[in-house]
Structures are given as structure tokens and as C-alpha cells.
Amino acid sequence: MIAAMDIARPGIRLGPRPEVIASADRDGVDEFFQKLLAHRVDSELRSLRRFGKRLKAIAEAETHFVQLDLLARNCVLLDLKKRLAARQLRKLDLVQAFAMIRVAVEQSLGIRLHDEQLYAGWCLLAGHFVEMNTGEGKTVTAALPAIVMAMAAVPVHVISANEYLVSRDSAELEPVYRWFGLSLGLVLAEQDEAQKRQGYGCDITYCTHQQVVFDYLRDTQILKHDRHGLAASLRDLLEEQPGLPVQRGLCFAIVDEADSVLIDDARTPLILSETSAGEGLSMSEAAVALAIARSLQENGDYLLKREIRQARLTDSGLRLVRERTAQLSGSWQFERYRQERVCQALAALHLHQRDVDYLVQQDRVELIDQATGRPTPQRRLQHGLHRLLEVKERCSVSDESNPIASLSYQRFFARYHRLCGMSGTLKEASGELRRVYGPHVLSVPPVRPSRRRMLPLQIAASRTIQLEMLLQQVQLLRSRGRAILVGTRTVRLSDEVSRLLSAHGIDHEVLNARQDSAEALVVAAAGRSGQVTVATNMAGRGTDIKPEAAVVEAGGLHVLNLEINDSRRVDRQLQGRAARQGQPGSCQDILCVDDDVLKLESGALAKRLLSMATAGSTTSNSSLVAALIRRAQRRVESRHRQQRIAVARGQTQLQRILAVGGRSE
């Protein structure tokens, strides 16, 4: 039974905005054991086979329900809503609810929910993370727990990785929600405060992870960090009235692409800023810092730590910077200031690469989200670094911004009374998800066995050889009527591949941060016979590549990966585009020794081994090279994990320091 205490609703007991408030006095061990006890897995949820008894009960309830006329069905639905809203969630009521939802989905969308989706939906409702293969219907599966909780008068947040998915999924499922008489809200970045308040006021709200955190931070600013701590008590005594927030608390969240949202994006806290024209680093200061940085020599005047994106001046560099700023006035006369500015300029010149870390579009510098490959025009690098990039690229200079509040994803999502999520690639992140957020990761078997073929790894000794190998593969596969998806990690390589294909007269489409707005059309057309699509990171693209009948007969979609990704999960996200729903398909990695990840993460011995392994230009199915690649990936994964731990610990320490005056954000 799902305990009543876990069902959080706005009201007298929990207040108008329920959320879990972590104690500043509780240490990490206490929090871990509390999560351990709060997220136990019911024995029947440990596998689909064990869930068979519940599936049989749902089927029987469905048979009874479909025999009723419309009036009787409405009476049963109203009675169920009353029971769910009045008491704890009982398994008997959940069985009836799932049976009704299966009927509603079939009548509204013409889709018959599989047993695997019912099992996944029940796991989500119980507060667990669910790994479902790509193409297995995660979007409609989310409707199962969303409808049950909404009927129980619990505000539901369905959180996706981007606004395209938010709009698409909410529009697709609106007929189902309407079938149950539930209101559906959509919260987007361009909406005003009134529209967002209306969206969050609905029974079920669709929004992005960034938007829900930003709106939460704005609400905390409106409420002036209140209702907790000494400051709140003083305001209560003075009878000050807080502003009107847009959200109704953090009761229940379903996170789509959970690993992308809760793991990949958790390396940096979300910062709420306000523009401050005329403040911060000026254009002239940025130009001076860049000019000085360009005059310095690497390994003589400065050292670069590329893996953590930091530059450090040597004694020689410090002396040169001091000499070249001797005639300058103002802040340049302060040793610490000029060191930091020049180090930032060195980072802007050498550690932040155009078409890898950022784009230049419409005279603006836009950062690229490394987890999704999308541009993020709303994000800015802090402490003057973004302005240095703007001056470096000779773009129009935007106003500086001052941070007024920040919150990590780890701390925010831990404040939901019930959190669940799903993705096709959760297995590798299960330990961290369990440790940080609490829920277990449960695997849902595919409806049909996978027919995906993994072809042997191929390694090229240079980028030129790699692209020649790619060209040969593309020409061969097109002649056989296959559809081809070429995956890259960076915009730069996707552009290089595009130029190569164009030079050889091969029609193709490109999907990277520059063409992001057209992604639905590009991905939807990628399954045509002979179609070649070049795309950066495919996480959260959402639209299925549906191979034509001729492509399926020829062997299905073929995925070619050209760059080493930051984690094995990202590799699987790309591979998951092929052979969906039991169809044929194949994948292959054609990698290069010059890959940035290998160069940065491999030691001297590893580099010598790679040179030996590729002495004959290419090597196929080399276990040695595969092991070195996996080692490099593990190093990147480990460093990213340490960054996430540092972010979480930093905010925990800040909360403890500021506990007397309320919460840190």
C-alpha cells in the first residue's frame, strides 16, 4: 500500500505550498538512511513476472468497466475520484484507476497500453525511477501516475528536458486528461506571471526542468525566503504580506529523460539573475585582458588544465602581465584583479571553443548544452567570462547579470514529496540516483525482443582517414536502401561531415544547435530510404525515427557514431535510435585517435598503446582500443560526478551557514 503520509496535497496540514525541507542539522549519513527506508521496493514491483497478479486484476476490472453504459461509467469515475481524494491510495482503487486509464487511452488515442507500460506506470506511482527502452511508449506511460495523482487532488508536475517535448507531450495526452475531467497546464519561458500561475494551478502541469526551478526561485524571492527561520518570524510579527507565488508546492513530479535532467544537468546550480547595465567587466577591460592573454605563450607564461577549464599564470606570466599593465590605471593596479582577468581571458581564448562549447548566432554568443546539443540562449557564463567570449568573437555585448539566488537540481528535486522518473538509459546512473534522490531504478522489459546488431568497433589513425571510412560506409548503405544516422558530439564535426557529404553530392540533413528549431521535421524524415541525417547529441529529441517499409526490409536504420561521448549512457541514447519496437537495425562506432576525449583523458602510456594499435591506419574490433576508450569515458564520468558532489555539498554548507535567517536560496 502506498502510505497516506506520502500523498502530499496543499491544505491545512502541509500549507498552501507543500515541500520537503531538509534539516541543516542532519548529516549525509542520516539523509541516506532516511531515503533508504522511505523508498523500499514492494516485492510485486521487483519484476514484471511478480506483477502478473496485479495485471490480471487490472484486466478483470477493465472487462467489467467496458460493459457499463456511459452513465454508469461516469458514476464509477466520480466515486473513484472521491475515494482517491479522501484517503490514502489503496491498491484496489489503483487497479480500478489503471483499468479506466487503459480504456481512456484506447478510446482517446487509439493506443492499447501494454502490460509493460502498466507495470512501469505503477512503479512510477510508487516513487521509483524506471528504465524503458527507447520507443516503448514512455510518453503515454507517464499519463498513468499523472492521472491517478491528479484524481487524488495532488498537483502533478510532468517535467521534460525541453520545451518541444513539453508542448508535444501535453498536446498528445490532452484528450486522455479531458476524458477524466482533469485540467492541463503548460508552462513556457515566454509566458508572463499570470499565465504561469494559471498553468501551475491546473491538475497536471507540463514544464521543463529549468523553468520549474526558475519559477521556484522567483517564488522564494517573492516570499523573501520565508516561512522558515528568524526572518520569517519577524515578518509574521510585523504582519507583512508576502507576494503571490505562481507554484502550489512540490508534491509530485514525473521526470522524463531523468538521467539527462537529474545527472547531466546537475553539475552546475541554476542561477536566477537580474541584468545590471554598466556594471561588471567593461568592453575595454575585456579587450585589454584578451590582448594581454594573446601575447603570452603556453607552457612558458601560463599552464592550461583543460579537463577542468582553468588557466594558471607561471612566474614568467605574472611578470609579463605586471609589465604590460604598468601604465594602466584603475583596477589593473591590483595584483589579484589583473591575474584573474588575464586567466579568464586565457580560458576564453583556449578552453571555450566555438562550435563545441558555444555558437555565434545573430551577433550573439549562445552556450551549447553538452547533454542535449541544444543552444541555451538564456544561460550566461558568470564573472565576466561571457563578455570575454562576446568581445573575442566581436559580437554585440549584452548587459552583465548579477546572481540573486541559486539552487542545485539535487536540492530542488529532493524537495518533492514524491519524485519519480524514466529514461531509456538509467542503469549506469542507478547508484548516484539512489544515493542523491532516494528512488530505486527498476527495469521494464521491452514488448518485443531487440533485433539491434552491434557491428565491430573501427578506429582511424586520423580524422581524414575516419571521414574516408565514413564516406565509404554511407555510400554502401545508401546503395542498399538503408537510412543512416551519423552521430557526433560537437557541432564542429557535424559541420565537417556535412561539407564532406556535400562535396560528394550526397543529399543529407543536419541537426545540431544551429538547426535546433527544425528538429521534429528532420528527425521524423530520417527514416526514408537512402536518407542521411547528421546529428549531435540525440538525448531528449523525442521524435521517433520511423523507417519506411523498404528500409525495414533492407535492414532498418543504421547508426554511425563518430565521437567518444562523455559517458556510456550517451552512447546508448544514440544507439537506441536504431531497431526500435522489435524492428531490425544496426549500430557501429567509427572513432578516431585524435578524439578530444582520448587526448585529454589518456596518459602517456595509453597514447603509446593507441599509436601502436593504429599503426596500420585502422584497426577493427580491437579489445585494447575499446578498453582505452572506456577508461577515458570513466575518467570523464568520475570528474563530472565529483563536480555534482561539489555542487551539492556547497549548497548544503551554505544552507547550514545561513540557517538562522532562512533557507539559502
Side-chain angles (χ1 to χ4, degrees), residues 405-458:
S406 70
L407 185 63
S408 67
Y409 284 114
Q410 294 96 321
R411 293 197 66 81
F412 172 76
F413 282 103
R415 292 179 179 175
Y416 275 96
H417 281 269
R418 183 173 292 274
L419 175 69
C420 64
M422 53 189 175
S423 175
T425 50
L426 286 179
K427 180 173 61 178
E428 295 88 346
S430 59
E432 185 172 350
L433 288 168
R434 177 91 174 101
R435 186 171 58 254
V436 175
Y437 301 101
H440 291 265
V441 173
L442 304 177
S443 295
V444 178
V447 176
R448 303 177 187 86
S450 175
R451 298 170 61 188
R452 184 181 302 122
R453 293 187 302 120
M454 292 299 303
L455 302 183
L457 165 70
Q458 291 189 323

Side-chain angles (χ1 to χ4, degrees), residues 620-663:
S620 178
N621 199 21
S622 169
S623 57
L624 171 61
V625 175
L628 292 173
I629 289 171
R630 185 68 192 109
R631 180 178 179 273
Q633 277 186 323
R634 282 198 295 267
R635 287 171 64 93
V636 177
E637 290 169 354
S638 177
R639 187 170 64 254
H640 288 176
R641 184 165 54 250
Q642 293 303 316
Q643 290 172 349
R644 292 190 291 269
I645 291 171
V647 168
R649 284 178 177 171
Q651 291 230 316
T652 300
Q653 292 170 357
L654 184 60
Q655 184 205 22
R656 289 173 177 167
I657 292 170
L658 300 179
V660 68
R663 286 174 288 166

Side-chain angles (χ1 to χ4, degrees), residues 79 146 172 347 378 531 615-616 639:
D79 183 60
E172 180 179 335
Q378 73 279 11
Q531 179 69 41
R639 187 170 64 254

Side-chain angles (χ1 to χ4, degrees), residues 298-588:
E298 185 177 358
N299 298 326
D301 303 325
Y302 65 90
L303 301 173
L304 296 177
K305 293 185 177 180
R306 297 182 184 277
E307 66 276 8
I308 57 175
R309 295 194 181 184
Q310 285 186 1
R312 182 174 65 84
L313 293 170
T314 63
D315 291 340
S316 169
L318 290 170
R319 186 180 66 255
L320 287 173
V321 170
R322 192 178 301 116
E323 291 173 358
R324 290 166 188 175
T325 57
Q327 304 302 316
L328 300 177
S329 59
S331 300
W332 289 107
Q333 294 305 306
F334 295 98
E335 181 77 12
R336 179 69 179 272
Y337 177 86
R338 58 177 175 251
Q339 285 183 32
E340 289 187 354
R341 285 305 184 212
V342 173
C343 285
Q344 281 182 315
L346 288 168
L349 289 173
H350 306 295
L351 300 177
H352 293 266
Q353 303 178 61
R354 181 170 176 169
D355 295 338
V356 177
D357 303 301
Y358 65 90
L359 291 172
V360 175
Q361 291 195 125
Q362 298 178 345
D363 200 31
R364 293 181 57 193
V365 170
E366 295 184 358
L367 301 180
I368 297 174
D369 187 328
Q370 297 302 309
T372 64
R374 291 181 171 83
T376 56
Q378 73 279 11
R379 290 185 184 178
R380 286 182 60 87
L381 295 170
Q382 298 294 310
H383 310 300
L385 186 54
H386 204 95
R387 177 157 290 185
L388 283 162
L389 292 178
E390 290 171 334
V391 175
K392 166 191 169 183
E393 299 294 349
R394 300 183 179 181
C395 295
S396 59
V397 177
S398 55
D399 291 337
E400 287 283 5
S401 59
N402 288 330
I404 57 176
S406 70
L407 185 63
S408 67
Y409 284 114
Q410 294 96 321
R411 293 197 66 81
F412 172 76
F413 282 103
R415 292 179 179 175
Y416 275 96
H417 281 269
R418 183 173 292 274
L419 175 69
C420 64
M422 53 189 175
S423 175
T425 50
L426 286 179
K427 180 173 61 178
E428 295 88 346
S430 59
E432 185 172 350
L433 288 168
R434 177 91 174 101
R435 186 171 58 254
V436 175
Y437 301 101
H440 291 265
V441 173
L442 304 177
S443 295
V444 178
V447 176
R448 303 177 187 86
S450 175
R451 298 170 61 188
R452 184 181 302 122
R453 293 187 302 120
M454 292 299 303
L455 302 183
L457 165 70
Q458 291 189 323
I459 300 291
S462 68
R463 185 70 76 192
T464 301
I465 295 174
Q466 180 194 33
L467 293 178
E468 289 175 357
M469 294 166 63
L470 168 71
L471 182 63
Q472 292 173 6
Q473 284 274 41
V474 168
Q475 290 172 332
L476 176 63
L477 291 166
R478 289 185 80 226
S479 69
R480 295 176 177 175
R482 300 282 297 274
I484 305 108
L485 173 65
V486 181
T488 71
R489 189 183 70 253
T490 63
V491 173
R492 178 180 298 171
L493 184 55
S494 69
D495 289 342
E496 195 171 346
V497 170
S498 178
R499 288 192 293 270
L500 173 73
L501 297 175
S502 297
H504 287 80
I506 298 175
D507 292 334
H508 63 281
E509 295 287 345
V510 178
L511 178 59
N512 57 31
R514 290 198 185 91
Q515 292 82 22
D516 189 61
S517 60
E519 69 171 273
L521 296 175
V522 173
V523 176
R528 297 172 182 168
S529 179
Q531 179 69 41
V532 180
T533 305
V534 182
T536 52
N537 196 308
M538 294 297 292
R541 292 294 181 189
T543 305
D544 278 351
I545 295 176
K546 298 178 180 178
E548 295 177 340
V551 174
V552 174
E553 290 179 7
L557 176 71
H558 184 72
V559 174
L560 288 168
N561 177 39
L562 298 186
E563 288 188 281
I564 301 172
N565 292 298
D566 287 347
S567 74
R568 179 64 184 150
R569 286 185 299 104
V570 182
D571 292 339
R572 288 212 292 143
Q573 288 165 2
L574 179 61
Q575 293 163 4
R577 289 287 155 178
R580 292 187 175 216
Q581 300 176 351
Q583 292 182 336
S586 53
C587 306
Q588 186 173 30

